[in-house]
């Protein structure tokens, strides 16, 4: 038997969720290099706006969606479906029916490393979906003994473990372990709080490099290379 099932992820703590709801997600890009999903995985359906939740991972194989149909009835409220299609970008595993099940279960969103279908219907259901594109060619229930639920997967080049925090908006998708976010979120919120003052200074004519220290750094670099 090749199908694997792991332990369902724990829900996101309310204090961390409240902080993330106030955070501009790209601010984390100032501190992290890993966990950013390929930019080709973009927001296809924006019904619910930003996505915050823990990863509920599913891995399918070829054109078979048996694992996904099974998993869709298990996802918990506030969790985000993260689907590894094994590299398939022709068959759409997620459409209106799977989306309806996710909404009924209270899922926070879906991220598909592949294509999806029924986008108008999914928008009406109110599920936010990130994917590589759309297709009318769908998966089938072949019952192949492969894939898994709540196992480590790869999505857009990022390794995703069940329970990792998924942050997604119009800019893209980021997947971060909970413990990493807990260390960074307050620092990132401080950055967000300072940004309005920085923009106000720019509007008054202050040079960006002077405000951030970049111009001083350039001067130091030039001084190192200037012959005496």
């Amino acid at each position: 038997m090749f199908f694997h099932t792991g332990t369902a992820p724990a829900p996101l703590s309310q204090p961390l969720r409240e902080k993330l709801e106030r955070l501009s997600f790209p601010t984390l890009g100032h501190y992290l290099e890993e966990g950013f999903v390929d930019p080709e995985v973009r927001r296809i359906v924006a019904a619910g706006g930003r996505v915050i939740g823990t990863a509920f991972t599913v891995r399918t194989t070829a054109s078979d969606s048996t694992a996904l149909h099974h998993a869709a009835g298990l996802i918990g409220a506030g969790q985000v479906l993260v689907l590894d299609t094994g590299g398939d970008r022709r068959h759409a595993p997620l459409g209106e029916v799977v989306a309806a099940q996710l909404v009924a279960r209270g899922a926070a969103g879906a991220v598909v490393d592949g294509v999806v279908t029924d986008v108008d219907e999914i928008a009406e259901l109110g599920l936010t979906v990130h994917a590589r594109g759309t297709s009318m060619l769908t998966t089938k229930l072949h019952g192949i003994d492969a894939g898994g639920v709540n196992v480590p997967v790869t999505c857009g080049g990022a390794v995703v473990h069940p329970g990792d925090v998924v942050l997604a908006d119009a800019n893209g998708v980021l997947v971060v372990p909970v413990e990493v976010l807990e260390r960074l979120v307050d620092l990132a919120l401080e950055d967000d709080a300072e940004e309005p003052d920085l923009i106000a200074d720019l509007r008054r004519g202050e040079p960006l490099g002077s405000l951030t220290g970049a111009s001083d750094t350039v001067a130091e670099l030039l001084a190192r290379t200037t012959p005496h």
Side-chain angles (χ1 to χ4, degrees):
M1 181 174 180
F2 298 98
F3 186 88
H4 298 281
T5 301
T7 304
L12 193 62
S13 72
Q14 192 59 31
L16 181 56
R17 175 179 291 279
E18 290 175 357
K19 290 180 179 180
L20 293 173
E21 287 173 349
R22 307 195 325 260
L23 180 67
S24 173
F25 298 159
T27 301
L28 294 170
H30 298 314
Y31 300 98
L32 299 171
E33 282 293 331
E34 297 181 348
F36 295 92
V37 173
D38 190 325
E40 289 185 2
V41 179
R42 64 192 189 280
R43 193 162 68 183
I44 300 294
V45 181
R50 301 201 319 165
V51 172
I52 301 172
T54 50
F56 183 96
T57 62
V58 180
R59 185 173 65 247
T60 58
T61 181
S63 60
D64 183 27
S65 56
T66 304
L68 176 58
H69 280 220
H70 170 69
L74 301 176
I75 194 169
Q79 296 177 341
V80 180
L81 173 72
V82 179
L83 181 58
D84 178 352
T85 65
D88 189 295
R89 301 186 187 182
R90 297 186 66 240
H91 299 82
L94 190 149
E96 181 182 11
V97 172
V98 171
Q101 172 71 101
L102 297 179
V103 170
R105 296 284 302 176
V111 180
V112 180
D113 192 357
V115 294
V116 297
T117 196
D118 297 333
V119 293
D120 291 337
E121 292 82 356
I122 293 174
E124 291 181 5
L125 287 168
L127 183 72
T128 298
V129 176
H130 286 69
R132 291 186 181 271
T134 60
S135 174
M136 290 191 290
L137 175 62
T138 67
T139 53
K140 284 79 174 173
L141 294 175
H142 294 309
I144 298 173
D145 188 6
V149 179
N150 282 324
V151 294
V153 300
T154 300
C155 182
V159 176
V160 185
H161 293 87
D164 284 349
V165 181
V166 181
L167 305 175
D169 62 12
N171 301 292
V173 181
L174 171 61
V175 183
V176 191
V178 174
E179 59 272 18
V180 174
L181 267 184
E182 288 176 338
R183 293 200 305 267
L184 281 179
V185 66
D186 289 332
L187 186 60
L189 285 170
E190 289 176 8
D191 279 0
D192 282 352
E194 293 171 357
E195 193 164 284
D197 290 338
L198 176 61
I199 292 174
D201 288 339
L202 293 172
R203 287 175 173 165
R204 284 192 290 267
E206 295 289 337
L208 179 61
S210 297
L211 295 170
T212 63
S215 295
D216 290 338
T217 300
V218 170
E220 292 174 4
L221 293 172
L222 291 173
R224 294 177 193 171
T225 57
T226 302
H228 296 287

